[in-house]
Amino acid sequence: MRDQLRLYYLATHPSLVLPVRFPVTRVAYLDNNATTPIAPIVYQAMIPFLTEKFGNPSSRHIKGTELGDAITNARGQVARLLGASASEITFTSGGSESNNHVLKGLFLDRRQFLGGHLIISDFEHPAIQQPAAYLEDLGVAVTRVGCNTLGQIDPEAVRSAIRPETRLVSIMHANNEIGSIQPIRAIAEICHESNIYCHTDAAQSLGKVAVDVEALQVDFLTLAGHKLYAPKGVGALYIREGVKLESLIHGAGHEFGVRAGTENTPYWVGLGAACEMLTTAPETHLQEIAAMRDDLLNLLRLGTDGMVTVNGQMDDPAEDRQHRLPNTLSVNFPGVTATELLAGTPDLCASTGAACHSGQTNMSDTLKAIGLTEEVARGTVRLSLGWFTTAAEVLSAATDLIRSWKDLIDKPN
């Protein structure tokens, strides 16, 4: 099977040079939507601030001011990636903190009575769903808007959910499981017609599609460092100029008084370097990732006689490129569970779409939202490529998945 797939890959990529005997030299890492490796340029940028540049940025001597200057530079790098002003960027510990800050900072604002109405999607990341549920327990009304079978929200569904007391709409920019991209600009315009704030969690879209806060017209935007080749434990929150949020962490006046705590300079510098890398990268790089993703699907279809199905894919290739992340492939293998399938591929890192325990299938919110049946969801695997994914990894992953699938469906009951 590996030889057949290798011949197919070489036939479709005549300029690609592979070894005569294809070696499995390392684990194929196709779980970049879960986390990305730290880019070498990011690591190098961080090193001085983990060693000789150790001062407190609040100190007025040279050991402090050199860190303050580095933070100013990093803030500008993040702002440039988003098309924002540096003063609109607040560094955080990651996507979860950023999301919590928006929801709780608006609804627990001491300048207003607790209450109001929040709108989210029914497939948001837990970092939105859980704070929304927390606010709901405190008396905030929450509406969860559904999507179509492609995982996309109709902006008019958001309009229909708005009430006089609605204060915030929070919809993720791109889905982490199937890659569907939401019409955030249209949703933001609907929000602003009624003087409602709009937030988007862009943790999954940054580095994969263009993300510009002016184009999206959002008031708040979340990013997470470990999704874009920076370390875990660092992120940022875009807060549109003039918009006020209650602080979650009170203390000294760090981060324009928005978030107290001594600055995590090494990680903030790393996040800035990652954003600069994404800002200056050629668009052809993303096209190459999309091409490898499509090659992976073609290999899987070839090896399963076309029996795998895809979640979130549009029929028209041009439309699909506009409405789905270029690196994400959510596929359903029939007749098996994804857990068993991946157990048979120890050299592949990927994610399942459903957990199976004691004969019960616990589907993800996304797979439920797009209407997948439990039977289909049992075999759902998410394969997500990244900047450092190689053609060899794609071929290895396809080979191993097909072999594991055939072993399982051929196994006697």
Side-chain angles (χ1 to χ4, degrees):
M1 175 57 69
R2 185 181 296 276
D3 288 340
Q4 288 178 305
L5 294 179
R6 180 181 177 280
L7 290 172
Y8 170 82
Y9 206 79
L10 288 172
T12 55
H13 295 75
S15 62
L16 180 66
V17 178
L18 287 177
V20 175
R21 295 183 60 131
F22 178 78
V24 179
T25 56
R26 63 170 180 159
V27 169
Y29 185 76
L30 298 186
D31 204 17
N32 285 271
N33 283 10
T35 196
T36 57
I38 297 177
I41 194 171
V42 172
Y43 174 76
Q44 291 298 327
M46 293 172 62
I47 289 299
F49 299 93
L50 292 168
T51 52
E52 71 269 19
K53 297 185 179 183
F54 57 82
N56 187 320
S58 297
S59 300
R60 305 324 307 161
H61 50 66
I62 182 60
K63 282 296 184 183
T65 56
E66 66 181 355
L67 269 72
D69 292 343
I71 289 171
T72 297
N73 181 62
R75 199 185 308 277
Q77 290 172 316
V78 176
R80 282 192 291 277
L81 177 63
L82 301 178
S85 299
S87 60
E88 297 175 308
I89 303 301
T90 296
F91 286 108
T92 69
S93 65
S96 292
E97 182 190 328
S98 296
N99 287 342
N100 272 262
H101 197 165
V102 174
L103 271 64
K104 295 175 183 176
L106 276 179
F107 285 95
L108 302 181
D109 189 339
R110 62 183 134 180
R111 291 165 294 211
Q112 302 183 50
F113 292 107
L114 181 66
H117 177 228
L118 166 67
I119 299 172
I120 64 174
S121 78
D122 61 2
F123 53 79
E124 289 295 317
H125 189 277
I128 288 292
Q129 291 204 42
Q130 292 305 311
Y134 170 79
L135 292 172
E136 198 169 26
D137 287 343
L138 295 178
V140 175
V142 179
T143 296
R144 295 163 179 84
V145 176
C147 63
N148 61 19
T149 56
L150 295 173
Q152 293 176 324
I153 292 172
D154 183 351
E156 292 304 313
V158 174
R159 187 192 300 277
S160 298
I162 289 175
R163 307 175 187 174
E165 66 272 24
T166 304
R167 292 166 64 180
L168 175 69
V169 173
S170 179
I171 305 291
M172 63 169 57
H173 188 207
N175 184 267
N176 53 301
E177 291 190 54
I178 65 175
S180 53
I181 300 171
Q182 305 305 324
I184 297 300
R185 170 67 181 249
I187 291 170
E189 289 176 345
I190 289 171
C191 290
H192 294 157
E193 289 172 8
S194 300
N195 294 317
I196 296 166
Y197 291 123
C198 183
H199 165 249
T200 192
D201 181 345
Q204 284 296 345
S205 53
L206 280 158
K208 301 163 188 171
V209 294
V211 178
D212 183 282
V213 292
E214 289 304 317
L216 294 175
Q217 284 292 294
V218 291
D219 302 293
F220 309 101
L221 183 142
T222 289
L223 65 85
H226 77 106
K227 305 291 189 181
L228 46 79
Y229 310 98
K232 299 168 185 65
V234 65
L237 175 62
Y238 161 78
I239 306 173
R240 184 174 290 279
E241 196 75 45
V243 178
K244 301 297 182 184
L245 273 182
E246 180 70 31
S247 294
L248 290 190
I249 304 173
H250 296 91
H254 306 92
E255 290 300 279
F256 314 114
V258 175
R259 179 187 187 266
T262 302
E263 297 87 342
N264 186 359
T265 307
Y267 279 38
W268 294 6
V269 167
L271 179 59
C275 289
E276 184 71 17
M277 179 184 77
L278 300 181
T279 302
T280 57
E283 189 175 333
T284 52
H285 189 61
L286 291 176
Q287 294 170 355
E288 291 167 2
I289 292 175
M292 280 198 292
R293 188 270 312 270
D294 294 343
D295 291 339
L296 176 57
L297 175 58
N298 290 334
L299 289 169
L300 293 176
R301 283 176 168 161
L302 176 72
T304 62
D305 296 324
M307 294 183 68
V308 295
T309 55
V310 184
N311 300 315
Q313 184 181 39
M314 306 187 83
D315 292 334
D316 182 84
E319 281 193 68
D320 187 60
R321 285 191 293 271
Q322 293 293 318
H323 297 286
R324 190 164 60 110
L325 292 178
N327 79 311
T328 304
L329 180 63
S330 174
V331 288
N332 311 308
F333 287 83
V336 301
T337 69
T339 302
E340 292 175 324
L341 184 74
L342 293 182
T345 61
D347 292 324
L348 169 64
C349 296
S351 294
T352 64
C356 300
H357 303 287
S358 302
Q360 299 296 313
T361 302
N362 298 316
M363 297 170 59
S364 71
D365 291 329
T366 297
L367 299 187
K368 288 179 184 176
I370 64 174
L372 239 57
T373 64
E374 285 192 8
E375 181 181 2
V376 174
R378 281 162 53 89
T380 301
V381 175
R382 182 190 69 185
L383 303 160
S384 49
L385 287 65
W387 278 44
F388 304 108
T389 302
T390 65
E393 285 178 284
V394 167
L395 182 55
S396 175
T399 303
D400 288 349
L401 285 167
I402 294 163
R403 175 189 46 75
S404 180
W405 177 74
K406 289 191 172 183
D407 287 346
L408 288 170
I409 60 174
D410 290 341
K411 185 187 297 184
N413 292 329

